[in-house]
Amino acid sequence: MTQAHLYRGGRHEAESAPGRVYRCCACRNSDGRQLGARCPKLSNARHGTWAFAVDLPSLDRRRTMRRTGFATKAEASAALAHVD
Ligand SMILES: [Zn+2]
């Protein structure tokens, strides 16, 4: 119920592989920066593509692996499941 929880990310998803599946797109704002998952048009289901991001523990620091361009959430989830 606490709003703070929504922004912690990750910890809540213990049921499956650690990682996030989300939609993003290549729209840019007036500064030329990509909006990514923050594009307001993403409320339209046909806008953008699916992507995943997963934190990969490495020897001295964490790396985040990202892949974008999946047509469906299922595809992105399947690809995420194959990341080891
Ligand atoms: Zn967009």
Side-chain angles (χ1 to χ4, degrees):
M1 285 297 271
T2 60
Q3 289 192 338
H5 253 91
L6 292 173
Y7 294 99
R8 305 295 300 234
R11 323 238 154 178
H12 223 53
E13 303 167 8
E15 359 155 315
S16 60
R20 311 177 284 289
V21 176
Y22 56 95
R23 281 208 342 272
C24 67
C25 67
C27 292
R28 292 171 186 272
N29 67 12
S30 51
D31 296 331
R33 312 189 75 161
Q34 284 204 352
L35 291 171
R38 288 195 279 183
C39 179
K41 293 181 191 165
L42 286 173
S43 55
N44 177 346
R46 314 185 94 181
H47 184 79
T49 58
W50 284 92
F52 73 76
V54 59
D55 293 325
L56 301 176
S58 63
L59 288 181
D60 45 3
R61 61 178 160 169
R62 280 154 71 91
R63 245 179 49 207
T64 302
M65 175 185 183
R66 287 175 225 272
R67 288 283 158 80
T68 64
F70 299 100
T72 64
K73 182 179 187 179
E75 275 184 35
S77 298
L80 172 60
H82 285 107
V83 174
D84 192 39

